[in-house]
Amino acid sequence: MKKLGSIALVLCATLTASAQGKFEVKEFGSFKLHSYITADPLGDMSYIIEGNKSVVVLEPAAFHDNIKELGEYLGKLNKPVEKVIANYHAAGFSAFDNSKFVMIEGMPQFVKGDVYSGMMANFATTFGNKMDISQFTPSVTVGKDAKENWAGVEFKFSPGASSDFPAASILIGGKVYYTHFTPVANMHMSALQITSLEAVDAQLAGLEHAKASGATTFIGGHGGATASAEAVNFQIEYLKKVKETRLQIQTGDEFVLVMQLTYPDIAGEENLTAVATNLYKK
């Protein structure tokens, strides 16, 4: 619970004004992936999986400006919304018919618990009526190892990282793999992902599963619109180095120095201090 609380607290720390988002589209033969970079204060991503006759929304937008923008974009596609998967992000429910919503087993209970409720209360205080934090009861709850076909596309679910919220990773159409965070190459990983030494193992297992899935494109609820297998491979090797260094080095300051020297030319160096704090906390 403490690990999950750390994730929630860091998510609450980003306090910037909302901005207009943008869309990127990739084609995968039988379906299209529309990535919505919301540019919201939480760095959220939303996705539309477009089949021949209908669409599935993955992680609805949470802020009212983005809800409006996403709704206008969906209107231009001129296809009905078959399902809305609220996986890691339980917000934005006012934009769709509740009968369309899907959650992963464990998440409906988790969002009512202290960690998630506390996070949403923080958001309400911070963002006021700019954010849609209305609650709902999902019409469908799917298992963490479920397989579904929506909009003519197969959605294959598997448990997400054990150190994170009890949501799911999703293989979409055998080609696109969704996790909580889009993998990023040549950048230090954040304290949201590396919350403890145990979380390093959990994130590694999740990335190895993603790599073995056969997917060619990787997406997430935060970060870039899409990523390649190169980013997954980078993060696997990066986490192995994090674990090796933590087991060999005795202090957080030394850990930061070793990681700086090992990766002298990559972005996100400012993440190292918070990561070290998580790894060396008593």
Side-chain angles (χ1 to χ4, degrees), residues 4-55:
L4 297 176
S6 297
I7 293 173
L9 287 172
V10 178
L11 281 172
C12 288
T14 307
L15 308 176
T16 58
S18 183
Q20 188 175 25
K22 65 178 182 178
F23 292 84
E24 295 182 8
V25 183
K26 283 182 175 286
E27 295 206 26
F28 293 92
S30 60
F31 69 96
K32 293 181 183 178
L33 175 72
H34 303 254
S35 302
Y36 178 34
I37 307 164
T38 67
D40 75 11
L42 303 178
D44 287 344
M45 292 291 307
S46 295
Y47 296 93
I48 302 164
I49 296 86
E50 180 187 0
N52 290 331
K53 297 181 179 179
S54 60
V55 304

Side-chain angles (χ1 to χ4, degrees), residues 142-150 154-157:
V142 301
K144 292 181 182 177
D145 293 301
K147 188 184 294 185
E148 303 285 349
N149 190 296
W150 296 317
E154 182 183 80
F155 291 77
K156 187 176 181 181
F157 296 83

